[in-house]
Amino acid sequence: MATTADTLPNGTGPLYDGKEDALRPDDFSEMLAAGTKDVHEKAENTQFVKDFLKGRIRKELFKLGAVALYYTYTAMEEEIERNKDHPHFAPLYFPSELHRHEALARDLEYFYGPEWQSLISCSQATQHYVDRIHQVGHEDPVLLVAHAYTRYMGDLSGGQVLKKVAQRALKLPPTGEGLEFYQFDAIDSAKAFKQLYRSRMNELELDVVTKKMLVEEAVKAFQFNMEVFEELEKIGETFQEEVSDAGMPVHGAMGGDVSKCPYYSAKTAATGGTTYVCQLAMAVMRHPTGQVLIATWFAALAGLAAWYLM
């Protein structure tokens, strides 16, 4: 594990402030964050991710998501091991802190049982992602930096939000079974570790052409992730299982009383009915589902903000 002495240079504020001319050409981590901003936002706005953040999660779909992650991380970590001494990757080699495939194997055993390996298979979209990772590992290992950055930094940021949402919505044990993928036992401070990782990235001796190639590869990594999300959405449409919904009830659950609808109350409040604001707030706070929604909303905001402060 990284020690306190090795960790941080002082933080210098947000990595991306929306102004391209503010980017420092020597700050490669900033260049990556800026170059992937648009595709990152698209990934966050896929229906699968939006439903996940609302707590609308089918358990079977969550399990298939874990399967996709298992194949993805197994491929990535095989290539990382193969190229751990490569001069452009060696400074980012943190197997005990970051590697996830063993944790994912334990999660799959929890969900599928001891015979889990015979019960899973790699989906088409995941296989495309896996094939690309193996290709760059063999042909151009420096591009592994883009895949590692995209996955691990995301896991240490927004991934922590998803863990809390999934645990609550799927009623998973508070002891962490089924969610070991999100648990980084060898990292004491995610923020400190991300700063260390960024500083190591910035110290890599890369020319401008290679940096641009890495940004392009990171964009591809996000696109592969979106393809997996879209595939899961399509599979989800075939499921009959009830959605585990940690969001607010819809109109049909209001017993026909439109005044109980949060959208109606919000509209009334906007026209000057401040009483409705108080009533809505109290109703939400008293309702267990409302408490989950509020906690999820603030966790999501914190997680998404954390990504852009990576």
Side-chain angles (χ1 to χ4, degrees):
M1 184 184 348
T3 63
T4 304
D6 290 297
T7 52
L8 319 177
N10 291 329
T12 55
L15 292 178
Y16 182 77
D17 62 5
K19 298 179 181 178
E20 210 161 304
D21 59 356
L23 297 179
R24 298 189 301 277
D26 60 330
D27 194 326
F28 175 49
S29 64
E30 183 174 295
M31 185 177 176
L32 266 176
T36 57
K37 180 177 182 289
D38 289 344
V39 71
H40 186 185
E41 289 178 353
K42 287 180 183 177
E44 288 171 352
N45 283 290
T46 58
Q47 194 61 46
F48 179 80
V49 174
K50 289 194 290 187
D51 284 347
F52 200 135
L53 286 171
K54 291 176 184 176
R56 294 181 58 81
I57 310 169
R58 291 178 173 88
K59 188 172 184 180
E60 288 303 313
L61 210 56
F62 182 81
K63 289 162 59 175
L64 289 177
V67 170
L69 289 171
Y70 172 76
Y71 284 109
T72 300
Y73 279 85
T74 298
M76 187 168 70
E77 288 160 9
E78 282 177 2
E79 296 306 329
I80 286 173
E81 286 298 320
R82 186 197 313 278
N83 294 284
K84 63 184 179 181
D85 297 321
H86 190 285
H88 289 145
F89 195 87
L92 302 177
Y93 181 63
F94 292 98
S96 62
E97 291 88 349
L98 293 177
H99 284 195
R100 300 284 86 203
H101 76 278
E102 290 181 1
L104 282 160
R106 292 191 293 272
D107 287 342
L108 293 177
E109 183 173 6
Y110 172 79
F111 286 119
Y112 289 97
E115 303 300 319
W116 64 272
Q117 288 177 300
S118 65
L119 300 174
I120 67 169
S121 61
C122 189
S123 70
Q124 184 176 12
T126 304
Q127 190 63 54
H128 292 161
Y129 196 177
V130 165
D131 290 344
R132 178 59 182 173
I133 291 169
H134 283 309
Q135 181 184 2
V136 301
H138 282 82
E139 297 177 4
D140 200 355
V142 67
L143 296 181
L144 285 173
V145 172
H147 289 277
Y149 162 84
T150 302
R151 291 289 352 160
Y152 293 130
M153 295 298 99
D155 299 335
L156 287 167
S157 300
Q160 300 307 299
V161 177
L162 300 181
K163 173 187 177 182
K164 293 174 184 177
V165 175
Q167 190 167 50
R168 194 175 289 121
L170 298 177
K171 299 179 176 59
L172 295 172
T175 45
E177 288 91 336
L179 294 168
E180 290 193 44
F181 166 68
Y182 300 102
Q183 183 64 39
F184 292 81
D185 293 329
I187 295 177
D188 294 328
S189 166
K191 180 180 178 181
F193 185 86
K194 286 187 293 183
Q195 289 180 324
L196 170 63
Y197 199 89
R198 288 198 308 273
S199 70
R200 293 284 184 89
M201 288 175 65
N202 292 337
E203 291 167 4
L204 295 175
E205 295 184 3
L206 304 170
D207 57 33
V208 174
V209 172
T210 303
K211 288 180 179 180
K212 289 181 178 179
M213 287 173 55
L214 281 164
V215 171
E216 291 171 2
E217 191 67 24
V219 169
K220 288 179 184 176
F222 274 107
Q223 290 170 339
F224 281 121
N225 278 286
M226 284 191 284
E227 288 176 14
V228 173
F229 295 155
E230 289 164 4
E231 183 182 61
L232 288 169
E233 287 171 29
K234 290 178 182 177
I235 293 171
E237 291 171 1
T238 69
F239 287 170
Q240 298 300 315
E241 181 186 345
E242 277 293 314
V243 175
S244 177
D245 191 351
M248 289 292 285
V250 295
H251 292 230
M254 304 289 178
D257 185 353
V258 71
S259 68
K260 295 179 183 178
C261 173
Y263 301 103
Y264 174 83
S265 299
K267 182 178 179 182
T268 306
T271 62
T274 55
T275 302
Y276 283 97
V277 177
C278 297
Q279 291 175 343
L280 174 60
M282 293 301 293
V284 170
M285 289 302 293
R286 284 196 299 267
H287 198 293
T289 302
Q291 294 166 9
V292 170
L293 180 61
I294 289 171
T296 301
W297 176 247
F298 280 104
L301 287 176
L304 296 180
W307 173 270
Y308 292 110
L309 295 176
M310 283 195 320

